[in-house]
Amino acid sequence: MGRRLVAIILAGLLLAGGAAAQNPAPPNPGLPARASDTAHLRGGWYPWDPYQYRDYRRGVPILTGFDVEIERALARIMSVEILLPEIAWEDHLAALSAGTADIAAGATASEARSRYAYFSKPYRTETDVLILPRGASSRYPFHTIEQMLDTFAKQKFRLGVVAGFVYADDRVNAFIADEAHREQIVPVPNDAQNLRNLLAGVIDGSSPIALLPPPRPGAGRKERASKSIRCASPPIFISC
């Protein structure tokens, strides 16, 4: 059960600018064509600390993060300017498919996405966990994917998901996509909204999100929120 994070890159970009994905497949006529502007690398970001986030320095917001800096390094190698507007992940994927964006970081490889994008080699791994309100884990004594999904179905568990995400196990993706579970699934643009919904009681749990390192200095709101939530133990989703 693994989820390796890669960059997904539009075919036309690779043909025009050369180089981030390893050994790309031959051009696929079904992939969207890239616009003629080769001076810019069109990407995007959404709140996903520590990979993509705004760091406030003397009150000035500075976009940074592991994924952001990798994309900027790629743009420097290609001698182009990178454009990183804030955009929901689902909309970012749609832009890649339409040919109006060139690159996205932190993606999970899937057959559906390979119809409109190439994938780099994996550049990082992470552990995903199910987030529950503190004290609630005893109500969900599952230890396998099958047990978890069976519990979700029987208890009408309200699951918060990030719209457009592909999760580590196809069974989870199938459960989320199943019309029979539509009223249980609460899609949002990012994990931060999932956590807000969890604290507000809108959902019963947040679908697997990265098990992050300790909060950065100044991340006080996250630390306060962490006192009210906890990770299911053991983690259900392991990415490696």
Side-chain angles (χ1 to χ4, degrees), residues 2 7 11 25 48 58 113 122 138 161 178 184 189:
W48 193 13
R58 297 183 179 179
R113 292 173 178 176
S138 61
V161 303
D178 192 334
Q184 296 174 241

Side-chain angles (χ1 to χ4, degrees), residues 41-71:
L41 185 60
R42 300 166 300 176
W45 76 283
Y46 67 98
W48 193 13
D49 192 332
Y51 307 121
Q52 306 172 149
Y53 65 93
R54 287 192 181 98
D55 189 19
Y56 287 83
R57 301 170 189 173
R58 297 183 179 179
V60 178
I62 304 296
L63 179 61
T64 187
F66 185 71
D67 287 348
V68 169
E69 299 308 327
I70 285 179
E71 291 176 296

Side-chain angles (χ1 to χ4, degrees), residues 46 89 160-167 186-191 194 207 209:
Y46 67 98
W89 179 239
V161 303
V162 174
F165 257 37
V166 171
Y167 291 100
V186 182
V188 295
N190 52 62
D191 286 324
N194 263 333
S207 64
I209 68 173

Side-chain angles (χ1 to χ4, degrees), residues 129-221:
V129 295
L130 180 67
I131 303 296
L132 299 170
R134 185 173 293 277
S137 59
S138 61
R139 300 202 299 269
Y140 309 109
F142 45 72
H143 295 279
T144 67
I145 297 289
E146 291 86 353
Q147 292 171 353
M148 181 184 73
L149 297 179
D150 184 60
T151 298
F152 285 176
K154 288 180 178 177
Q155 297 191 17
K156 300 299 181 183
F157 186 97
R158 298 167 301 168
L159 183 65
V161 303
V162 174
F165 257 37
V166 171
Y167 291 100
D169 192 289
D170 284 339
R171 290 166 292 183
V172 177
N173 295 317
F175 183 94
I176 292 171
D178 192 334
E179 280 294 310
H181 307 134
R182 183 176 60 179
E183 294 184 0
Q184 296 174 241
I185 305 302
V186 182
V188 295
N190 52 62
D191 286 324
Q193 184 61 53
N194 263 333
L195 294 181
R196 285 192 288 268
N197 283 349
L198 184 62
L199 293 172
V202 175
I203 58 176
D204 299 309
S206 172
S207 64
I209 68 173
L211 184 60
L212 302 178
R216 295 173 293 103
R221 282 186 297 175

